[in-house]
Amino acid sequence: MPVNSAMVAAIVNTGQGYTQLDTFLAFLNMPNMSNPLYQKIHNDLIKHTKNTAIETIEMAGKEEARLAVEENNINENGIPLITVVADSTGSKRSYKTESNEKEVSVYKCFKNWEGISTSMEADIIVEGFRQSMSMHNVIFNKLFSDGDSSVMKKLSLAKPYGPDIFIKKIECVNHILRNYCNRIADISSRRKSTSGIVVPGVLRKILKDRRLKLR
């Protein structure tokens, strides 16, 4: 990889941009590339990364389909039935350009979401289910996921495989136990109960100290 491409790849993968790269190289007393060149390399890397990701996804789909057939996890039409693990996240950073009524300069925008951030994960997962047949010719019949009920609700409404195929959810025990422990820690930090009764600090400390044992 050329040194300029390597620098852009490194700075992007650490969640930074041209300004941070400029500062970093200034401390090393090294000249930086121009901003237009940086943007060109950045866009080329995005295309390469996307193509590589799609190739990897297609290879993984073929492997999962092969394993499902070997284990006879197929439906009456011979389509492989796959259990998938799904968890996702989305960028929430915003410069509030619209709310601040600032003039936006011309740039290549990578925004691909119009809804609220809290519904982003569910829609990403539903989109993956919808594309499983066209991309891999497999059915995702079981979903191994966290306790987010909105995902299953959207999947039941979307019916990506028709009305006769139901998707089963397998709860992640780690998520359940983590949320349980977090809730105990939250309760132990409150001076008053939900009914307004003052809870002595000694009792709250006992609860906090024993939260791992309770879990």
Side-chain angles (χ1 to χ4, degrees), residues 24-36:
F24 180 78
L25 293 178
F27 274 92
L28 296 178
N29 196 27
M30 291 174 59
N32 193 6
M33 69 188 83
S34 66
N35 199 334

Side-chain angles (χ1 to χ4, degrees), residues 44 56 61 69 81 163 178 180-181:
D44 290 341
T56 305
V69 171
L81 303 175
R178 185 189 66 183
Y180 176 70
C181 197

Side-chain angles (χ1 to χ4, degrees), residues 16 50 53 65 100 107 125 133-134 137 160 166 168 190 209:
Q16 302 176 83
K50 181 178 180 180
N100 293 334
Y107 69 104
I125 294 173
M133 285 294 293
S134 60
N137 194 35
F166 298 93
K168 180 181 178 181
R190 300 178 184 176
D209 293 343

Side-chain angles (χ1 to χ4, degrees), residues 4-65:
N4 283 348
S5 298
M7 284 196 297
V8 176
I11 207 73
V12 168
N13 278 277
T14 54
Q16 302 176 83
Y18 180 79
T19 301
Q20 289 76 19
L21 175 62
D22 205 38
T23 304
F24 180 78
L25 293 178
F27 274 92
L28 296 178
N29 196 27
M30 291 174 59
N32 193 6
M33 69 188 83
S34 66
N35 199 334
L37 178 59
Y38 174 91
Q39 298 301 334
K40 180 182 181 302
I41 296 173
H42 178 269
N43 294 339
D44 290 341
L45 281 172
I46 287 175
K47 293 177 183 176
H48 178 71
T49 303
K50 181 178 180 180
N51 292 336
T52 303
I54 291 174
E55 289 176 7
T56 305
I57 291 170
E58 289 175 346
M59 289 173 58
K62 291 177 181 177
E63 177 67 8
E64 289 293 335

